[in-house]
């Protein structure tokens, strides 16, 4: 096989230059999208939401800086070390550099985690206020059901054998438990504004998720567990609830709505539902 003349097919700056330029353009477009806030999230309606947004911003600053520096470094290396017909150079790497960027990554990740811990813990690890509105959220393929305890303030016992969506008992409320007689089950969630709400999240089949963007709240529902979270919405409105776990073929249509209403409207809603149940 004849030896090729390396110099005749190397040394083209065009390929390396084009690739480096593409990377620089990619970085510029990405920075533009984030810096101009091209796709802003809907404004939050909770105090905790502000802490979550602040945490997102911090994370974006840190990961954005790393992204910009590493991509520009890559573009530089592609250009600087392009093929000029020189012999390949073997390197075993640089232990000091490896140590530095591994340690820096650990510190950044742990630091961001520790900073975000407060907002996370406030929603999940502190008990709800005693006068919080309690609503049980049950997920199944592919619907949400919301249960209110009714005037007695007690949820009726659940009996899996009595689960029967077609006869109007999707949750399997035990017929023999008097506490369950006044329970209200709704396909959407209605809560009062400026009043703490505690959700007790459960699942009947697979792992689903309860997510409302405006609450900045996202929680998996896990079969066999009741997961409590709480929030206080400070603005009335109609918001979308969605399942963010890929839970099956109908996942794309698994959604519901959250209505945040005034305290008076909330009492009216409860009264109407109770009358409906009594009829
Ligand atoms: Cu789901």
């Amino acid at each position: 096989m004849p030896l090729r003349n390396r110099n005749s097919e190397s040394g083209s700056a065009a390929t390396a230059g084009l690739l480096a330029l593409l990377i620089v353009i990619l970085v510029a477009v990405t920075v533009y999208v984030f810096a101009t806030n091209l796709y802003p999230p809907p404004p939050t309606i909770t105090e905790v939401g502000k802490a979550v947004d602040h945490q997102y911003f911090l994370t974006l600053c840190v990961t954005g800086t790393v992204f910009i520096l590493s991509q520009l470094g890559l573009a530089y290396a592609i250009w600087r070390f392009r093929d000029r017909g020189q012999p390949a150079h073997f390197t075993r790497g640089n232990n000091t550099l490896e140590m530095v960027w591994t340690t820096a990554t650990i510190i950044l990740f742990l630091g961001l985690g520790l900073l975000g811990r407060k907002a996370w813990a406030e929603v999940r690890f502190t008990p709800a206020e005693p006068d919080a509105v309690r609503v049980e959220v049950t997920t199944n393929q592919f619907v949400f059901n919301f249960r209110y305890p009714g005037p007695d303030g007690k949820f009726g016992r659940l009996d899996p054998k009595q689960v029967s969506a077609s006869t109007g008992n999707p949750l399997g409320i035990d017929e023999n438990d008097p506490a369950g007689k006044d329970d209200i089950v709704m396909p959407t969630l209605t809560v009062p504004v400026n009043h703490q709400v505690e959700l007790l999240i459960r699942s009947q089949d697979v792992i689903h998720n309860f997510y409302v963007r405006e609450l900045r709240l996202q929680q998996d529902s896990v079969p066999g567990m009741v997961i409590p979270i709480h929030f206080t919405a400070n603005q009335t409105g109609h918001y979308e609830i969605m399942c963010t776990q890929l839970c099956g073929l109908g996942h794309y249509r698994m959604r519901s709505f959250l209505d945040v209403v005034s305290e008076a409207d909330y009492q009216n809603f409860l009264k109407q539902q109770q009358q409906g149940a009594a009829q």
Side-chain angles (χ1 to χ4, degrees), residues 21-43:
L21 185 68
L22 262 176
I23 291 173
V24 172
I25 291 171
L26 174 93
V27 171
V29 170
T30 310
V31 170
Y32 173 80
V33 167
F34 281 96
T36 56
N37 203 8
L38 214 53
Y39 304 102

Side-chain angles (χ1 to χ4, degrees), residues 11-240:
S12 162
T15 317
L18 204 63
L19 190 53
L21 185 68
L22 262 176
I23 291 173
V24 172
I25 291 171
L26 174 93
V27 171
V29 170
T30 310
V31 170
Y32 173 80
V33 167
F34 281 96
T36 56
N37 203 8
L38 214 53
Y39 304 102
T44 177
I45 57 166
T46 61
E47 277 305 307
V48 173
K50 287 180 196 158
V52 173
D53 282 353
H54 178 67
Q55 187 63 26
Y56 267 119
F57 181 71
L58 275 182
T59 307
L60 188 64
C61 287
V62 170
T63 52
T65 308
V66 172
F67 170 78
I68 293 168
L69 292 180
S70 58
Q71 293 304 307
L72 292 184
L74 179 64
Y76 170 75
I78 287 172
W79 174 251
R80 172 74 179 75
F81 303 108
R82 68 184 186 276
D83 182 10
R84 294 184 173 100
Q86 74 275 43
H89 171 67
F90 179 77
T91 169
R92 286 191 186 279
N94 183 323
N95 283 343
T96 317
L97 264 182
E98 297 269 358
M99 290 282 285
V100 167
W101 64 54
T102 307
T103 314
T105 309
I106 292 172
I107 291 171
L108 280 177
F109 272 81
L110 283 181
L112 285 172
L114 285 175
L115 282 172
R117 174 190 49 104
K118 195 167 162 276
W120 173 270
E122 203 172 309
V123 170
R124 292 171 173 84
F125 299 149
T126 59
E129 290 160 10
D131 72 333
V133 168
R134 287 170 79 219
V135 186
E136 184 195 73
V137 181
T138 305
T139 57
N140 76 29
Q141 288 169 323
F142 298 96
V143 290
F144 290 92
N145 275 300
F146 302 94
R147 179 160 71 130
Y148 297 79
D152 67 352
K154 278 187 209 147
F155 289 108
R157 210 176 71 82
L158 295 178
D159 176 10
K161 289 197 192 105
Q162 296 183 43
V163 169
S164 173
S166 57
T167 57
N169 192 5
L171 303 181
I173 300 172
D174 188 351
E175 276 185 357
N176 306 314
D177 183 1
K181 294 280 182 236
D182 61 351
D183 286 8
I184 301 162
V185 180
M186 299 290 297
T188 57
L189 177 60
T190 303
V191 301
V193 69
N194 294 325
H195 190 147
Q196 195 177 66
V197 178
E198 181 176 39
L199 300 179
L200 306 164
I201 301 180
R202 336 167 29 247
S203 184
Q204 282 179 328
D205 42 33
V206 298
I207 296 177
H208 297 272
N209 187 285
F210 174 91
Y211 178 42
V212 178
R213 292 175 304 168
E214 289 83 356
L215 296 178
R216 303 289 192 271
L217 206 57
Q218 189 172 32
Q219 176 59 53
D220 275 0
S221 62
V222 183
M225 289 179 81
V226 179
I227 301 174
I229 55 170
H230 53 80
F231 67 89
T232 308
N234 55 26
Q235 211 176 318
T236 57
H238 184 64
Y239 310 101
E240 189 180 24

